[in-house]
């Protein structure tokens, strides 16, 4: 434990990006939003990182730090700067080069739920409570955040969540696709780490290509872009592909290199 409100550290081949304000239920301050892009760049620059776990110390996150609202929304300039920091922080998590998994325990509300939605997958403990609450505060949800929500749960369920601002339990979140796994609270961390550990045994280039292909499709592309075409072609010239073929022929697990 440190006094740093947000940090990342390596756990074997995994990067663990952790919110560390347990006394405030990991409410995300302006400082934390602004720190996210640099932290994500550091993770992407580490060739040994195969996957990323995004988590909170104790609960996941109660959302943006409401105690700061009087300051960050004091005038038009501060409002624009704060909203830009939130958008940039979530976009950085979404754009991580490696697969990302939100480890959701306890509260996952508002901006915390937005952070979980910026991850590729969400593993939740059975007592998790999730919701998006701008309608309770007289605020609007941003276009990028709403897009992630609609892509995850569909338009009708997104409307329900945004209209009502209600919190749902983990079972309902699983049923609507807001989370991808639900396990007992005492088992969810091991499950998320185990799944991420399995990804560390897969070809990094394959994981990166899959993530970028899907993101490009969800952004509206209906055919190859220059990036997706290059990713596809590069795979067949890669050391990972040669290693995969050799390992298959030798009937052994492949030993893929890092990005």
């Amino acid at each position: 434990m440190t006094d740093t409100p947000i940090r990342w550290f390596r756990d074997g081949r995994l990067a663990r990006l952790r919110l560390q304000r347990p006394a405030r239920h990991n409410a995300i301050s302006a400082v934390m939003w602004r720190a996210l892009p640099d932290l994500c760049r550091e993770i992407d620059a580490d060739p040994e990182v195969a996957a990323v776990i995004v988590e909170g110390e104790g609960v996941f996150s109660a959302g943006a730090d409401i105690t700061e609202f009087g300051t960050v929304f004091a005038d038009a300039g501060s409002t624009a700067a704060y909203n830009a920091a939130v958008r940039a922080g979530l976009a950085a998590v979404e754009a991580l080069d490696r697969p990302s998994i939100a480890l959701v325990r306890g509260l996952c509300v508002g901006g915390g739920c937005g952070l979980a939605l910026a991850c590729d997958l969400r593993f939740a403990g059975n007592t998790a409570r999730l919701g998006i609450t701008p309608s309770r505060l007289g605020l609007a949800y941003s276009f990028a955040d709403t897009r992630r929500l609609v892509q995850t749960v569909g338009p009708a369920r997104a409307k329900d969540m945004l209209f009502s601002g209600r919190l749902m339990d983990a079972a309902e979140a699983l049923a609507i696709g807001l989370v991808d796994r639900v396990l007992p609270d005492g088992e969810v961390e091991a499950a998320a780490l185990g799944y991420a550990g399995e990804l560390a045994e897969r070809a990094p280039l394959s994981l990166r290509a899959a993530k970028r292909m899907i993101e490009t499709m969800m952004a509206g592309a209906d055919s190859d872009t220059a990036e997706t075409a290059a990713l596809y072609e590069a795979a067949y010239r890669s050391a990972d592909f040669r290693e995969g073929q050799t390992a298959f022929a030798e009937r052994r697990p492949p030993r893929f290199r890092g990005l």
Side-chain angles (χ1 to χ4, degrees):
M1 172 65 185
T2 74
D3 293 330
T4 305
I6 183 170
R7 68 182 182 110
W8 80 275
F9 60 94
R10 270 236 267 122
D11 183 2
R13 297 286 313 283
L14 308 181
R16 300 184 72 164
L17 179 58
R18 180 176 291 173
L19 310 180
Q20 295 188 154
R21 295 182 78 200
R24 295 280 303 145
H25 303 297
N26 295 319
I28 308 172
S29 66
V31 167
M32 295 163 74
W33 290 121
R34 294 188 182 106
L36 274 170
D38 283 342
L39 292 171
C40 291
R41 278 190 286 270
E42 291 173 12
I43 292 170
D44 274 343
D46 189 332
E48 295 303 313
V49 170
V52 184
I53 300 288
V54 180
E55 60 189 326
E57 185 174 328
V59 304
F60 188 76
S61 174
D65 190 347
I66 295 177
T67 65
E68 294 186 334
F69 281 10
T71 301
V72 299
F73 297 134
D75 54 44
S78 62
T79 297
Y82 176 77
N83 287 338
V86 175
R87 286 194 298 271
L90 293 175
V93 173
E94 184 177 40
L96 280 164
D97 232 356
R98 279 63 160 186
S100 58
I101 302 166
L103 172 53
V104 178
R105 293 170 289 198
L107 291 173
C108 181
V109 180
C113 197
L115 178 60
L117 283 164
C119 297
D120 296 310
L121 298 169
R122 287 152 291 283
F123 282 45
N126 63 296
T127 65
R129 301 273 288 171
L130 302 96
I132 299 173
T133 55
S135 66
R136 294 175 178 265
L137 296 169
L139 296 173
Y141 211 42
S142 76
F143 182 88
D145 289 329
T146 303
R147 172 184 58 79
R148 293 185 193 101
L149 180 63
V150 171
Q151 288 174 346
T152 303
V153 303
R157 288 170 175 141
K159 288 176 182 176
D160 170 37
M161 291 180 67
L162 294 172
F163 289 170
S164 68
R166 66 187 179 87
L167 301 188
M168 65 180 67
D169 61 24
E172 182 179 2
L174 179 65
I176 69 170
L178 183 60
V179 300
D180 303 287
R181 308 275 198 286
V182 172
L183 296 104
D185 288 341
E187 300 174 14
V188 66
E189 180 175 5
L193 293 175
Y195 180 83
E198 290 178 9
L199 299 186
E201 299 175 359
R202 305 296 184 260
L205 190 150
S206 298
L207 300 183
R208 181 172 179 267
K211 180 167 178 168
R212 290 291 174 251
M213 295 275 190
I214 294 168
E215 288 173 349
T216 301
M217 291 175 192
M218 298 306 292
D222 57 7
S223 60
D224 258 341
T225 66
E227 181 190 20
T228 59
L231 284 168
Y232 180 77
E233 295 297 333
Y236 292 93
R237 302 188 300 272
S238 70
D240 279 353
F241 182 44
R242 291 192 295 274
E243 168 61 13
Q245 289 178 295
T246 301
F248 181 81
E250 295 176 356
R251 298 187 179 184
R252 62 168 174 81
R255 294 183 291 270
F256 297 117
R257 63 184 178 85
L259 282 172

